[in-house]
Amino acid sequence: MTRHLIQGHFGPADRANLAAVEPGEKPTHFDLVAYDKVLDFGIGAALTDLKAKHVFPSEVALDLAVLAAQIHAADTRISRATESQDAWTREIRVVVPVSDVTRWDAAVPVLQRMLSFLTGDRWTIQFRPRPLKFAQIVPQADLIVPPFTGVSLFSGGLDSLIGAIDQLEAKRIPLLVSHAGEPAVSKAQDDCFDRLKKQYKSLPFERLRTWMTFPKRLVRNVGSEDSTRGRSFLFFALGVFAGTGLRTNFVMHAPENGLIALNVPLDTLRLGALSTRTTHPFYIARWNELLGILGIQGQIENPYWNKTKGEMVRRCSNPKLLEELVPKTLSCASPTKGRWQGHPTQHCGYCLPCLIRRASVASIQDETTYTVSDLRAQEWDPLTAAGEQIRSFQYAFDRLTARPGVENFLIHKPGPLNDNPAALGELAAVYKRGLEEVGSLLAGVRTRPS
């Protein structure tokens, strides 16, 4: 195992306050500035885009975006396979230049707690002052107050699309926030947003789109990492970054159905894709705790925490528009994995997000192209990637059926839910209903005994 240090700095002249490298630590200098004056990795472009929309974030929120960029770089450019002792848990120290070290130092405990919960790694977060040249980066606000009533994350997936439609049908004016690092995700976001703009011409909603990628060999002699467990920290940070510029006590929506938000492991031995915690209630509660510590006047909410994906689809405020746009959304965990078989970028049809998606749209006409179009056309081997996903869901559904009430225990498996004890009954109920939706989809689907 190798311990890693990701050391942020603002250009080649920013060396005076760099942290010392500790014994056994591999350092990587992460330059946040391009051409010695413009913030890199999409952050400077986001500032410019927001300025055109009369949105001027706070300096502390800009610090948050810089922190998130370093976290995302560490998460995606340090391989778990080679850099951890158990093929998963990495030890990463991040040193971030910020505008107010005292304020950020107070946030360290909650930051380390939420990041460890999110990614399963051991994080050490430290801060140092920005160089004087970059003491103030955000332009001064103009006199035009932006029209936006709040922020909503817009990933290109089905849930975020429903979240946007519901807000627009209610005549709210969200600032949609998107992040992409690959063309397939970006295209889904663009296609859905363009159609929404055509549908709701009278509403001046807009979108902040941030493209953030890093060089493959950012960390010398270390391979990249595809699990991207920390991606939602960047996504949330970008939403808060934009929200602080609305000049009001903003609410940021993170639309996600309750089954995915809870992400209960499907069996006792296998965590799998559903072990992610991107919108888990504990994680969102820590974000709101962080905002309070930083003095940011905002709140993060998941308005669909007690809904299944199918319930979100059936209760969407504009079902006709949703049915039209479903094929343009992207839910698949790996939409490019079929290329070696000659398939274009498309939904595989059998990964966990695809199965939940297919179950949720049973009530409407789904024109999505799935690589595996008919789940009942063959018997699935649970030792293969496709069969493993299907059998895991069948196992989880069978366990729920055989042991009535077990959902009340299982919802605690992914993480603590003590922030809202009154909601435990609803959380257990939505978990059960979500599994039942997928159970209906998989009725009659054959898998070999494992």
Side-chain angles (χ1 to χ4, degrees):
M1 184 191 74
T2 303
R3 296 172 60 241
H4 283 268
L5 164 64
I6 306 296
Q7 180 103 264
H9 60 92
F10 281 72
D14 180 21
R15 290 291 188 272
N17 295 313
L18 293 186
V21 180
E22 298 176 355
E25 198 172 50
K26 180 181 177 65
T28 296
H29 287 292
F30 186 71
D31 196 345
L32 291 148
V33 174
Y35 312 114
D36 200 30
K37 59 181 180 180
V38 180
L39 287 178
D40 205 353
F41 306 112
I43 302 174
L47 272 175
T48 301
D49 190 2
L50 289 173
K51 180 181 178 181
K53 296 174 172 61
H54 309 288
V55 175
F56 297 87
S58 69
E59 291 291 341
V60 170
L62 179 61
D63 294 337
L64 181 59
V66 168
L67 167 64
Q70 290 189 223
I71 296 296
H72 193 50
D75 184 48
T76 58
R77 292 298 176 263
I78 299 175
S79 169
R80 294 185 185 275
T82 63
E83 305 306 295
S84 65
Q85 60 185 356
D86 59 359
W88 187 263
T89 307
R90 303 163 295 186
E91 292 191 18
I92 304 170
R93 182 163 68 112
V94 178
V95 181
V96 188
V98 294
S99 62
D100 186 339
V101 172
T102 302
R103 186 183 297 195
W104 277 102
D105 279 347
V108 166
V110 69
L111 272 171
Q112 292 181 168
R113 188 182 188 196
M114 68 196 294
L115 286 169
S116 295
F117 176 80
L118 180 66
T119 72
D121 300 299
R122 294 178 184 147
W123 293 89
T124 301
I125 311 297
Q126 297 173 341
F127 300 100
R128 67 179 185 87
R130 291 183 197 164
L132 288 177
K133 179 180 177 181
F134 295 95
Q136 182 172 337
I137 298 175
V138 180
Q140 290 295 312
D142 58 27
L143 298 177
I144 302 175
V145 177
F148 310 113
T149 56
V151 174
S152 189
L153 300 185
F154 192 70
S155 65
L158 185 55
D159 290 7
S160 71
L161 173 64
I162 293 171
I165 290 174
D166 286 350
Q167 288 204 54
L168 293 166
E169 285 289 324
K171 305 303 180 187
R172 300 190 185 98
I173 305 171
L175 174 58
L176 304 178
V177 173
S178 299
H179 161 258
E182 59 179 78
V185 172
S186 183
K187 185 177 188 308
Q189 295 168 354
D190 292 345
D191 288 348
C192 291
F193 178 73
D194 290 347
R195 182 63 183 86
L196 290 176
K197 289 296 286 184
K198 182 179 178 181
Q199 179 73 23
Y200 301 101
K201 295 177 182 178
S202 63
L203 297 177
F205 70 99
E206 289 293 344
R207 180 169 70 120
L208 170 66
R209 174 186 178 274
T210 303
W211 181 274
M212 185 179 290
T213 57
F214 310 103
K216 285 288 186 184
R217 300 297 173 186
L218 177 71
V219 180
R220 298 186 315 276
N221 303 317
V222 173
S224 296
E225 174 60 39
D226 295 327
S227 60
T228 62
R229 287 299 192 267
R231 181 176 178 268
S232 82
F233 187 83
L234 172 64
F235 206 0
F236 278 51
L238 291 173
V240 171
F241 171 60
T244 62
L246 301 190
R247 308 180 213 182
T248 183
N249 191 342
F250 69 93
V251 173
M252 186 186 92
H253 282 178
E256 188 79 88
N257 69 86
L259 181 62
I260 286 288
L262 284 171
N263 284 321
V264 176
L266 293 180
D267 63 50
T268 55
L269 298 177
R270 174 181 173 275
L271 292 178
L274 269 181
S275 64
T276 57
R277 294 160 163 175
T278 55
T279 52
H280 190 277
F282 178 83
Y283 176 64
I284 291 180
R286 299 290 72 74
W287 260 103
N288 286 322
E289 184 182 355
L290 175 65
L291 298 188
I293 294 170
L294 295 176
I296 292 175
Q297 300 299 307
Q299 187 81 6
I300 299 175
E301 298 177 358
N302 176 8
Y304 304 102
W305 66 272
N306 60 349
K307 304 287 188 298
T308 70
K309 201 179 192 80
E311 289 165 353
M312 289 180 67
V313 169
R314 292 189 294 275
R315 300 174 190 180
C316 178
S317 301
N318 190 332
K320 183 177 179 181
L321 178 63
L322 178 65
E323 186 167 324
E324 175 191 338
L325 286 178
V326 164
K328 296 183 181 296
T329 62
L330 184 64
S331 304
C332 187
S334 302
T336 61
K337 62 176 168 266
R339 285 181 178 175
W340 66 277
Q341 293 178 310
H343 298 298
T345 298
Q346 61 187 22
H347 289 82
C348 69
Y350 58 78
C351 70
L352 298 180
C354 276
L355 293 175
I356 295 172
R357 172 196 175 97
R358 295 178 80 160
S360 73
V361 296
S363 62
I364 65 174
Q365 186 68 32
D366 181 15
E367 299 295 338
T368 304
T369 299
Y370 297 100
T371 303
V372 176
S373 58
D374 185 359
L375 295 170
R376 295 177 178 80
Q378 65 183 86
E379 183 179 63
W380 296 94
D381 182 352
L383 298 180
T384 65
E388 180 186 21
Q389 317 291 331
I390 293 169
R391 186 67 194 105
S392 290
F393 253 125
Q394 290 177 330
Y395 173 86
F397 179 69
D398 291 347
R399 178 177 56 179
L400 196 72
T401 304
R403 297 176 59 192
V406 71
E407 65 273 9
N408 295 296
F409 167 74
L410 293 175
I411 60 170
H412 296 276
K413 288 285 188 180
L417 294 167
N418 55 330
D419 289 287
N420 190 5
L424 292 179
E426 284 192 80
L427 289 168
V430 74
Y431 169 64
K432 180 180 180 181
R433 297 197 307 273
L435 275 186
E436 288 171 345
E437 282 183 1
V438 184
S440 296
L441 172 76
L442 297 180
V445 176
R446 296 167 294 135
T447 54
R448 297 174 193 167
S450 54

